[in-house]
Amino acid sequence: EMVQITSEKKSAPAVRQLKLDGHVGFDTLPDQLVNKSIQNGFGFNILCIGETAIGKSTLMDTLFNTSFGAPPSPHNLPKVKLISHTYELQESNVRLKLTICDTVGYGDQVNKADSYKALVEYVDSQFEAYLQEELKIQRSLGSAHDGRVHACLYFISPTGHGLKAVDLVCMKQLESRVNIIPVIAKADTISKAELAGFKERIMDELRRNKVNIYQFPIDDETVSDTNKSMNGHLPFAVVGSIDFIKVAGKLVRARQYPWGAVQIENETHCDFVKLREMLIRTNMEDLREVTHLRHYELFRQRRLQEMGFVDVDSNNQPVSFQKTFESKRNDHLASLQAKEEEVRQMFVQRVKQKENELKDSEKDLHSKFEKLKREHLEEKNKLEEARRLLEEECQELQRRRLQVANGNQTLGRGKKK
């Protein structure tokens, strides 16, 4: 009698809740985590996408209240080039390893159809580098540089009309890879009424084209109201400046114009404070978490599937990593053996072909040799025959000479008599 054994997924055991009779001390775990995090420092990577001279570098200087010293970018590059720089910043006792990647030459080409490809390749290359580090036997994830993009600031030109085709194509390609935060650059070039209509058109175009941008999380009660309100202000209309002017006896960061000044940190002038609050002061950790748990997981899942790894087999049974690896290894060895046999057969065939060619060449040489031999023999026979005839002619000539000499002697004797 055969017994069929099936493996079933065991349900998680029920967890009992117990009451402590006294203080244990694990309530200090959050403090331990904070201390450990402060000791290790934090990393944050920003990808700035926008046309040349749209104000990307200036906004980064303004956001982090420093000067990164980014050189001006040329307008005549044949293709998009990405340049990243990493900086060590410290505020109080918190260290931040900041990487800023700039898109040089974006939107400068006549044909902008492939402008997004360099950006996708860069984002995927950072995911791939992290995945390869994860797959190592001896990993150093803590010390290795994590270049995965946590936030993508997409700078929209302040045209007042709407998004360009290249904007929609690029954001559609990047939506599943990075957290896209659209911002309207140089927002002081359009009026408030135009700006409100411009924002509505941008969000409407994103919804109609099903482009998903980053939404500030509302699951945390402490910031849910603020984040929900800020989601309604997207895209942020920002202005950047590295200059300070004195207003009411106080130095403020602003842009000075003949008609007045645009104060960067005045919320009635632009959305810079909103962007800084959402990007750095409230949701920086959520951006890092979403990058790791959503975007990187999607990339990791796709890459492992491309490698042939699966979680369940055709019978919906779990498959171990070792089993999949052994299967791939056996397939690889079988493929190598098949290729080796193919190369061997090809080599044998080439050898036989070469042998046949050599045999044909040998037959050809042998036939040529026989022909030359026959021709030589015929020529020799002809020469022998000619020699024999020549010798006969010489003998005949000698005989005649003797006859002539004898005849002359006889004639001389007769005259003497």
Side-chain angles (χ1 to χ4, degrees), residues 35 99 105 115 120 146 160 177 199 211-212 216 238 254-255 278 307 370 407 412 417:
N35 294 334
T99 299
S115 297
V120 172
D146 182 6
R177 292 176 166 88
K199 284 188 175 185
V211 177
N212 297 316
F216 304 115
V238 297
R255 296 187 72 89
M278 292 295 99
M307 295 178 187
E370 291 295 331
K417 290 178 180 182

Side-chain angles (χ1 to χ4, degrees), residues 205-341:
E205 289 183 12
L206 292 176
R207 283 190 292 268
R208 282 191 288 107
N209 290 276
K210 298 180 180 180
V211 177
N212 297 316
I213 61 174
Y214 175 73
Q215 294 290 314
F216 304 115
I218 57 175
D219 53 353
D220 186 353
E221 295 180 356
T222 59
V223 294
S224 59
D225 293 338
T226 303
N227 282 349
K228 186 175 182 180
S229 173
M230 290 299 104
N231 284 329
H233 285 84
L234 290 171
F236 293 130
V238 297
V239 180
S241 176
I242 57 175
D243 300 323
F244 289 86
I245 64 171
K246 185 171 289 188
V247 177
K250 183 180 178 181
L251 281 177
V252 295
R253 194 184 293 269
R255 296 187 72 89
Q256 184 71 55
Y257 293 99
W259 44 263
V262 177
Q263 299 178 29
I264 306 303
E265 299 187 31
N266 189 332
E267 293 193 51
T268 61
H269 291 188
C270 69
D271 295 335
F272 171 79
V273 173
K274 296 182 178 67
L275 174 64
R276 183 180 62 187
E277 188 71 24
M278 292 295 99
L279 179 67
I280 300 175
R281 300 183 178 182
T282 306
N283 299 300
M284 179 180 280
E285 182 56 32
D286 184 73
L287 287 164
R288 286 157 40 93
E289 186 176 304
V290 171
T291 298
H292 181 72
L293 297 180
R294 183 187 302 169
H295 301 305
Y296 172 68
E297 281 301 316
L298 286 174
F299 175 85
R300 178 179 173 275
Q301 177 183 352
R302 184 174 68 250
R303 286 288 290 120
L304 291 179
Q305 287 176 346
E306 291 174 357
M307 295 178 187
F309 294 100
V310 293
D311 292 331
V312 294
D313 56 16
S314 57
N315 298 323
N316 204 29
Q317 296 297 317
V319 180
S320 66
F321 188 88
Q322 181 179 359
K323 183 178 178 181
T324 305
F325 174 76
E326 289 294 335
S327 175
K328 295 292 292 182
R329 182 174 181 272
N330 293 333
D331 292 343
H332 181 65
L333 291 176
S335 175
L336 288 178
Q337 290 178 354
K339 287 183 178 180
E340 183 180 358
E341 181 64 22

Side-chain angles (χ1 to χ4, degrees), residues 163-165 167-169 171-172 175 201-212:
L163 293 171
K164 301 177 183 178
D167 298 330
L168 290 171
V169 171
M171 283 193 274
K172 189 65 179 176
E175 65 174 1
R201 282 191 293 275
I202 290 173
M203 296 305 295
D204 182 59
E205 289 183 12
L206 292 176
R207 283 190 292 268
R208 282 191 288 107
N209 290 276
K210 298 180 180 180
V211 177
N212 297 316

Side-chain angles (χ1 to χ4, degrees), residues 95-106:
R95 292 181 295 107
L96 177 66
K97 187 177 182 181
L98 177 68
T99 299
I100 300 176
C101 182
D102 188 14
T103 53
V104 181
Y106 181 80

